[in-house]
Amino acid sequence: MKRSTIIPLILLVYLAVMAYIGRGEFFAGHYLYYFSIIGATLIVVFLLHLSLKRRERQRQERESKEQTN
């Protein structure tokens, strides 16, 4: 599997565990706080995934150029 898939999956599992641990905030009625943290983390993980995919694509293009030269 590619790094751009593995790392975000690990972070999503971590997020799920942390959301479970922090469910006390949800039950305490701090809905906005609870879901804003989860939402912000999801956005960061998604951006990380895009960044890693771009780096992998650039590395493949560079390697293919080196092989043709």
Side-chain angles (χ1 to χ4, degrees):
M1 293 183 80
K2 295 182 179 181
R3 178 185 270 178
S4 65
T5 304
I6 295 287
I7 293 174
L9 282 177
I10 291 170
L11 290 174
L12 287 175
V13 170
Y14 175 76
L15 173 61
V17 169
M18 295 309 291
Y20 179 77
I21 291 171
R23 72 190 186 281
E25 291 293 325
F26 176 77
F27 293 132
H30 303 132
Y31 306 116
L32 181 62
Y33 174 74
Y34 182 77
F35 288 115
S36 65
I37 295 296
I38 291 173
T41 305
L42 286 173
I43 290 170
V44 169
V45 169
F46 179 70
L47 292 174
L48 173 67
H49 173 70
L50 293 178
S51 173
L52 289 172
K53 292 233 8 135
R54 184 174 50 99
R55 285 182 58 194
E56 286 176 354
R57 190 176 342 107
Q58 288 174 345
R59 183 177 301 128
Q60 288 176 351
E61 289 173 1
R62 189 173 347 109
E63 288 174 356
S64 67
K65 285 182 184 179
E66 288 176 359
Q67 289 176 357
T68 58
N69 289 338

